[in-house]
Amino acid sequence: MIMKEYIMYDPSHPGEILREDYMEPLNIDVTSMAEKVMISRKQVSLILNEKAGISPLMSLKLAKVFGTSPEFFLRLQQQYDLAKARTEFEKIEKDLPVLYHEENPA
């Protein structure tokens, strides 16, 4: 049975979701967030401004602070990273060889 793969082409950066869905409703500013997750204000700003991603350690901290799961934040990051990689991959895909056929995958 072949399952269709759901592809998210333009997912939000986890920093945007953190900012809009978690920090803003709770009126948490950058300084307060940095204190809560024990990182620098600069690192929080990089995440919120979509210049840095969510690491596994950060996902554990955010899960604790906001009562979610670490997997939630890691999935957001993975979806974002994969969408960016797909954009780059599409530029070179035609130049890559195919080393197997569907009837006989390696």
Side-chain angles (χ1 to χ4, degrees):
M1 178 176 164
I2 298 175
M3 296 180 64
K4 288 187 177 181
E5 182 180 347
Y6 174 74
I7 299 173
M8 187 177 282
Y9 285 99
D10 192 21
S12 297
H13 187 279
E16 177 184 350
I17 294 167
L18 178 61
R19 182 180 62 250
E20 293 179 4
D21 295 346
Y22 291 89
M23 292 175 63
E24 287 176 1
L26 297 172
N27 293 317
I28 299 173
D29 64 13
V30 171
T31 300
S32 179
M33 188 71 213
E35 291 169 358
K36 289 178 187 337
V37 296
M38 298 187 291
I39 62 172
S40 69
R41 290 180 78 254
K42 180 178 181 179
Q43 190 61 34
V44 171
S45 291
L46 289 171
I47 293 168
L48 297 178
N49 292 317
E50 305 174 20
K51 304 294 183 198
I54 303 289
S55 69
L57 178 58
M58 179 57 74
S59 73
L60 290 163
K61 292 177 178 184
L62 293 172
K64 172 73 175 177
V65 169
F66 291 112
T68 65
S69 72
E71 293 82 8
F72 170 74
F73 287 102
L74 286 176
R75 271 190 236 106
L76 291 175
Q77 187 65 54
Q78 185 179 41
Q79 288 171 342
Y80 179 80
D81 291 344
L82 190 55
K84 285 185 67 174
R86 272 199 174 92
T87 300
E88 292 301 310
F89 178 71
E90 288 169 357
K91 296 174 186 174
I92 63 165
E93 181 177 15
K94 67 182 182 320
D95 298 327
L96 295 173
V98 176
L99 301 177
Y100 74 93
H101 297 283
E102 287 295 322
E103 306 87 50
N104 190 17

